[in-house]
């Protein structure tokens, strides 16, 4: 009974930890030249003749970098995608340029990725809280229920974040391709993003299943004790009848 609950809790913690690690890889991309952070970027595009841009540009969570995440600019929270070039640039895809971020970014891309970065930070906060509270799930139903609730909140924000991220950079890639420029999505970044989401989903479901399993185990134990108690009582009463009426 206790082993079943403990097993669900441990598997849930493993998936929750995996989700958290992949989320950190995503957010810290471009920070160092150590693998896999050096290979993690959302989009790589040919920006060779755009005013103020690098020949090849890669977008990460906090940075705009050159090829292989080298020659990165300063870390910027809620990074405007137009930081890859100067204001009112020549030869940039018209869909991406507008009056936001110093005349570098259009209205849609300014808000798409701005909200995406914020939702990722909120996801990180709730996932960390869920991870530390997950050890309470090993102690009983209340711990499983509390951790499952926090993980579900993290999953909600993660779902919004990963959808905004996907929409932003898939549309950016299409805009570059329509402008006859090479562009490709980052395999590592999208793998970490959707892998983190899937691991968090599995963890949330397992915490909920572990809570139900703990409840059913407790009920089964009570029913067993009750049947044993009833059987013992009947045996005792039978012996008394035999002793009084030989």
């Amino acid at each position: 009974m206790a082993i079943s609950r403990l097993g669900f809790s441990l598997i849930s913690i493993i998936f929750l930890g995996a989700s958290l690690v992949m989320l950190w890889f995503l957010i810290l991309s471009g920070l160092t030249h150590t693998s896999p952070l050096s290979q993690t970027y959302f989009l790589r595009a040919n920006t060779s003749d755009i005013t103020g841009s690098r020949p090849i540009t890669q977008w990460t969570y906090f940075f705009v970098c050159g090829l292989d995440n080298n020659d990165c600019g300063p870390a910027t929270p809620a990074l405007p995608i137009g930081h890859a070039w100067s204001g009112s640039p020549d030869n940039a895809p018209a869909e991406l340029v507008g009056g936001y971020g110093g005349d570098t970014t259009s209205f849609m891309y300014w808000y798409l990725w701005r909200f995406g970065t914020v939702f990722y930070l909120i996801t990180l906060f709730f996932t960390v809280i869920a991870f530390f509270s997950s050890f309470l799930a090993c102690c009983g139903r209340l711990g499983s229920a509390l951790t499952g609730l926090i993980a579900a909140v993290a999953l909600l924000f993660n779902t919004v974040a990963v959808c905004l991220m996907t929409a932003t950079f898939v549309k950016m890639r299409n805009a570059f391709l329509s402008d006859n420029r090479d562009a490709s999505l980052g395999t590592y970044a999208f793998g970490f993003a959707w892998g983190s989401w899937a691991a968090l989903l599995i963890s949330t479901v397992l915490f909920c299943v572990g809570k139900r399993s703990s409840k059913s185990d407790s009920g089964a134990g009570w029913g067993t004790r009750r049947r044993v108690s009833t059987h013992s009582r009947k045996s005792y009463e039978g012996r008394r009848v035999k002793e009084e009426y030989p």
Side-chain angles (χ1 to χ4, degrees):
M1 293 178 286
I3 296 176
S4 177
R5 183 182 65 243
L6 182 61
F8 273 114
S9 299
L10 290 177
I11 296 173
S12 303
I13 292 172
I14 291 172
F15 275 103
L16 188 59
S19 175
L20 191 57
V21 168
M22 287 186 281
L23 191 58
W24 276 115
F25 282 156
L26 188 71
I27 291 176
L28 297 179
S29 57
L31 188 63
T32 71
H33 297 298
T34 304
S35 181
L37 298 182
S38 59
Q39 288 89 27
T40 304
Y41 57 87
F42 299 114
L43 179 70
R44 173 189 289 173
N46 177 6
T47 54
S48 56
D49 58 346
I50 299 176
T51 308
S53 67
R54 301 165 179 81
I56 299 293
T57 301
Q58 294 182 176
W59 284 263
T60 69
Y61 190 86
F62 283 117
F63 301 95
V64 171
C65 302
L67 184 63
D68 297 327
N69 285 352
N70 293 309
D71 187 28
C72 295
T76 306
L79 177 71
I81 60 98
H83 271 203
W85 43 73
S86 58
S88 302
D90 294 327
N91 303 318
E95 179 183 330
L96 306 180
V97 180
Y100 293 81
D103 295 328
T104 62
T105 309
S106 67
F107 171 86
M108 179 176 64
Y109 288 96
W110 171 267
Y111 283 106
L112 267 179
W113 187 226
R114 200 171 189 84
F115 279 105
T117 56
V118 170
F119 276 104
Y120 264 121
L121 292 179
I122 298 173
T123 299
L124 179 63
F125 172 78
F126 280 105
T127 306
V128 169
I129 297 299
F131 181 76
F132 284 109
S133 68
S134 64
F135 295 98
L136 297 175
C138 300
C139 302
R141 290 173 52 203
L142 182 59
S144 294
L146 177 62
T147 305
L149 177 61
I150 299 173
V153 174
L155 179 64
L156 173 63
F157 286 108
N158 197 359
T159 302
V160 177
V162 76
C163 288
L164 288 175
M165 185 208 81
T166 302
T168 300
F169 293 103
V170 168
K171 287 179 67 64
M172 280 183 65
R173 180 202 60 183
N174 294 341
F176 279 109
L177 293 177
S178 297
D179 202 45
N180 296 319
R181 296 177 180 273
D182 293 333
S184 59
L185 299 175
T187 304
Y188 279 85
F190 276 81
F192 288 143
W194 284 103
S196 177
W197 179 86
L200 184 56
L201 173 64
I202 294 172
S203 177
T204 303
V205 171
L206 288 178
F207 277 121
C208 296
V209 172
K211 173 182 175 296
R212 293 176 62 86
S213 175
S214 175
K215 182 177 180 180
S216 61
D217 286 347
S218 299
W222 166 253
T224 302
R225 289 193 297 270
R226 185 175 180 182
R227 287 194 296 271
V228 171
S229 177
T230 303
H231 178 72
S232 300
R233 183 177 177 182
K234 289 181 178 179
S235 299
Y236 174 72
E237 290 178 350
R239 288 197 299 272
R240 286 189 59 187
V241 170
K242 290 180 180 180
E243 289 173 357
E244 293 177 1
Y245 301 98

